[in-house]
Amino acid sequence: MNIPTYFARFLKEIRLTDNQVDDLIKGHTTLRKRLNEDEDMSKIIVSTFLQGSYRRSTAVRPKGESRSDVDVIVVTKLSMEEYSNPEDAIKVFEPFMEKHYEGKYQIQGRSIGISLSYVDLDVVITAAPSESEEGILESASVTDMRALEDIETWSLKGSWEVLNETIEASSIFKTYSNANEPEWKTVPLWIPDREAEEWKQTDPLAQIKWTQDKNKSCNRHYVNVVKALKWWRRINNVPKHPKGYPLEHLIGLCCPDGIQSVGQGVTEVLEGIVNDYSTKPVMADHGVPEHDVMGRVTDEEYNEFYELVKKAAEIARKASDATTVKESAEEWNKLFGSKFPTSEATTNNQSSSGVFSKRENPTSSDIVGGRFG
């Protein structure tokens, strides 16, 4: 049974709140402004843009008093040849951090973490891209700060831009791109790895693009399936791994295209893991296939996680196959905890209208806009 209104209420409870989103925007906007206005930093910075679960619209509300976090990529002109020791490249940023974030930052393995009272920032430095890549990385399609959920028509094109008008009665901006312009192919960036003492490749734009395409093929339900299962993992936090992006990547591999609801997606992802991934898989990263996303998860951790998934899959199947709203809601409540509502499930044949119905198609091939349902 599909109960979209219940999932709508559940997702509202686990999404970032408006205040948390405002804090994220304030944190990364201030950081980027300071970098661009700093006399020394501005000389070596090509571009800054957002990556991570916030940009991909797969972030869930932080637990308890924890703060939201956002990842900021800082594309620099630093040469890997000149900075053969990755730690030396990170040290270039230390005077800036001391000036603006004294006592609030920490040099990490592959990034600089900044902990503020209202938000956590993860600053990821990259080496200099090629001259042809600089134009792409400076374009609006890369540097736009909005999450995918707010602009589903995002594309990697030089002509892409956000228009100053909204669609329908919503606050969602229309976007424009030349339909005849092909999309750019993403190129991996090089980031310093202090622990490995070498530069490593990453391709955050490929991950963003893959997520957008997958969401489209899943009738805009994919990012909500990810959020739901990240929440399930949060309340079932033993073993510690896999979580975060490795979990999201596995969900992406198991989520069928064409799903008609979040509940269907959750059920079929869990059953897909049970049927196809009984042992820890090797998962090639989007854009950098040499990188195994599941590489840092131990076999013992995965085996324990797999047993957790088997139990969850049984509950999800009961919820999906339930013949009444009440029964279905109560099973989903067992899976997702108190955030999933059961209070309205008082009658056996209660209507559950289509909050997650597919969004109408754009009226123009060039000027479009929308959000995930």
Side-chain angles (χ1 to χ4, degrees):
M1 171 166 283
N2 182 23
I3 52 173
T5 55
Y6 286 73
F7 269 95
R9 291 174 59 190
F10 166 58
L11 289 164
K12 183 178 179 181
E13 291 296 316
I14 66 171
R15 281 193 176 102
L16 298 177
T17 65
D18 289 344
N19 286 339
Q20 287 167 341
V21 172
D22 289 343
D23 286 342
L24 290 178
I25 293 172
K26 178 183 176 182
H28 72 70
T29 300
T30 302
L31 169 67
R32 298 167 84 187
K33 185 172 184 289
R34 285 172 173 171
L35 285 168
N36 290 328
E37 293 180 350
D38 187 274
E39 183 176 355
D40 295 322
M41 290 293 99
S42 61
K43 296 175 182 175
I44 64 167
I45 291 176
V46 174
S47 172
T48 60
F49 66 93
L50 303 185
Q51 68 156 356
S53 59
Y54 169 66
R55 179 77 183 266
R56 296 192 303 272
S57 291
T58 57
V60 294
R61 194 172 298 181
K63 187 177 182 180
E65 300 300 319
S66 300
R67 296 177 292 270
S68 303
D69 63 88
V70 63
D71 300 338
V72 181
I73 294 280
V74 181
V75 183
T76 76
K77 298 177 182 178
L78 300 179
S79 161
M80 286 192 292
E81 288 73 26
E82 184 178 355
Y83 293 89
S84 56
N85 180 355
E87 189 158 4
D88 292 340
I90 296 176
K91 285 181 178 178
V92 172
F93 281 73
E94 284 193 357
F96 171 84
M97 293 294 166
E98 282 293 317
K99 180 179 178 180
H100 295 286
Y101 299 102
E102 183 181 2
K104 300 174 182 176
Y105 77 92
Q106 182 176 12
I107 305 297
Q108 302 171 151
R110 297 184 178 185
S111 63
I112 301 173
I114 302 173
S115 295
L116 304 177
S117 60
Y118 58 95
V119 70
D120 289 334
L121 303 166
D122 208 24
V123 183
V124 182
I125 300 164
T126 84
S130 68
E131 288 187 12
S132 61
E133 293 161 6
E134 280 192 16
I136 298 173
L137 295 168
E138 291 173 325
S139 70
S141 64
V142 173
T143 60
D144 192 89
M145 296 180 291
R146 297 170 181 82
L148 284 180
E149 199 167 23
D150 296 322
I151 305 180
E152 68 180 45
T153 53
W154 173 78
S155 65
L156 270 175
K157 293 182 178 182
S159 61
W160 186 89
E161 62 176 323
V162 179
L163 303 177
N164 290 322
E165 55 183 309
T166 58
I167 59 169
E168 302 164 356
S170 74
S171 59
I172 306 303
F173 285 101
K174 293 179 179 178
T175 62
Y176 167 83
S177 65
N178 184 343
N180 296 320
E181 180 187 3
E183 280 202 82
W184 290 319
K185 289 188 66 176
T186 64
V187 177
L189 298 167
W190 292 91
I191 62 174
D193 188 327
R194 293 172 62 237
E195 295 170 353
E197 298 183 346
E198 62 182 0
W199 293 82
K200 294 284 186 69
Q201 285 188 313
T202 185
D203 195 344
L205 293 173
Q207 294 176 350
I208 296 168
K209 187 69 175 67
W210 192 95
T211 303
Q212 185 201 39
D213 291 344
K214 184 66 178 178
N215 199 51
K216 185 177 181 180
S217 68
C218 290
N219 294 315
R220 319 300 184 201
H221 296 306
Y222 172 66
V223 294
N224 288 328
V225 171
V226 174
K227 281 195 277 273
L229 284 170
K230 278 188 172 180
W231 186 261
W232 162 75
R233 194 68 178 89
R234 175 160 295 173
I235 61 177
N236 294 274
N237 57 5
V238 178
K240 187 175 181 180
H241 300 288
K243 64 177 184 177
Y245 186 70
L247 175 63
E248 181 176 330
H249 193 106
L250 181 59
I251 293 169
L253 295 182
C254 296
C255 189
D257 291 345
I259 56 173
Q260 297 299 314
S261 69
V262 179
Q264 179 192 356
V266 168
T267 302
E268 295 192 16
V269 164
L270 291 170
E271 291 178 341
I273 296 173
V274 172
N275 293 331
D276 301 331
Y277 296 98
S278 59
T279 58
K280 190 183 78 160
V282 174
M283 299 194 305
D285 202 355
H286 303 305
V288 189
E290 300 83 5
H291 175 226
D292 177 14
V293 175
M294 202 66 84
R296 293 190 175 186
V297 179
T298 67
D299 288 337
E300 290 74 19
E301 286 175 323
Y302 188 83
N303 292 341
E304 193 172 352
F305 164 76
Y306 182 77
E307 293 302 316
L308 201 63
V309 172
K310 284 201 297 186
K311 295 176 183 175
E314 292 177 2
I315 297 172
R317 175 49 61 190
K318 286 183 181 177
S320 291
D321 290 348
T323 56
T324 68
V325 172
K326 183 175 187 296
E327 181 186 353
S328 182
E330 288 179 350
E331 291 298 327
W332 287 123
N333 178 270
K334 290 178 185 175
L335 191 68
F336 295 123
S338 59
K339 295 292 186 184
F340 198 96
T342 60
S343 59
E344 291 181 1
T346 55
T347 61
N348 287 346
N349 58 353
Q350 185 173 353
S351 172
S352 185
S353 60
V355 169
F356 288 99
S357 60
K358 184 179 179 181
R359 186 180 181 81
E360 292 183 357
N361 291 327
T363 55
S364 166
S365 60
D366 287 347
I367 301 178
V368 287
R371 71 166 71 187
F372 303 143

